[in-house]
Amino acid sequence: MRTAGILMLLAGAACEQPSKHVYSSPPPTPNASTGAAPAISGAPEIPIGTLAAGARLVSVTDAATGAPVALGSITDSVDVLTLVAFGPGEWAARHGGRIELAVRGPSFDTTLVRNLGAPAPSIAAHTFRVGGLMVGRYSSVVRLRSTDGSLLAESIPLLIEVVAR
């Protein structure tokens, strides 16, 4: 009986197939070098017009060359690129509207207007040429108005300074 038990045990061990399961430990975490700052991800910028009507001043470039200019040292005419959006619904754009660039300063106080036909595009870009500014500080904003004149959106003010030529 003892011999039969040993034979059974050996036969069972010989017939057993090896397991295909292999355990892998997770890879080690990389060590951050001393003094390295952790990566900080900023909040994603929400595209204009996604939530509501919007207006932005996109860029200020030299009118003659098209090169970007420093806002604190403008010496000649500039082109101001604006971007407006009526919002997520098309109903506001159906009636049209207008883009206004208001420039306020010591020697210049005006509003430049670009009318948008009806139906207007839901997002519109327009470049305004601003020239003849005297030395001084100016504030400019872009506004989106409906055809009846009601304000739909306004950008944050952009401060520029014209210096001696």
Side-chain angles (χ1 to χ4, degrees):
M1 176 101 140
R2 190 173 175 191
T3 310
I6 293 175
L7 287 176
M8 290 279 284
L9 187 61
L10 288 175
C15 293
E16 216 176 273
Q17 294 183 3
S19 172
K20 293 184 180 180
H21 174 74
V22 177
Y23 175 77
S24 294
S25 62
T29 57
N31 292 337
S33 63
T34 308
I40 299 173
S41 62
E45 184 175 343
I46 298 172
I48 187 168
T50 304
L51 302 174
R56 291 184 187 164
L57 291 161
V58 178
S59 69
V60 178
T61 57
D62 186 283
T65 65
V69 296
L71 298 178
S73 60
I74 295 174
T75 59
D76 207 352
S77 297
V78 293
D79 289 335
V80 179
L81 177 61
T82 63
L83 183 66
V84 296
F86 281 93
E90 295 179 18
W91 60 271
R94 278 189 223 143
H95 304 291
R98 67 179 185 260
I99 306 170
E100 299 177 350
L101 177 67
V103 181
R104 308 276 181 258
S107 66
F108 198 75
D109 191 8
T110 192
T111 301
L112 305 170
V113 177
R114 166 77 168 138
N115 288 317
L116 301 172
S122 57
I123 297 176
H126 183 70
T127 301
F128 291 97
R129 177 142 306 160
V130 181
L133 300 176
M134 302 300 284
V135 173
R137 292 183 183 201
Y138 296 84
S139 173
S140 58
V141 295
V142 64
R143 295 183 185 107
L144 174 62
R145 292 194 184 269
S146 63
T147 51
D148 67 0
S150 59
L151 183 65
L152 299 175
E154 180 174 295
S155 70
I156 59 172
L158 177 69
L159 302 175
I160 59 176
E161 185 170 353
V162 177
V163 296
R165 298 172 195 209

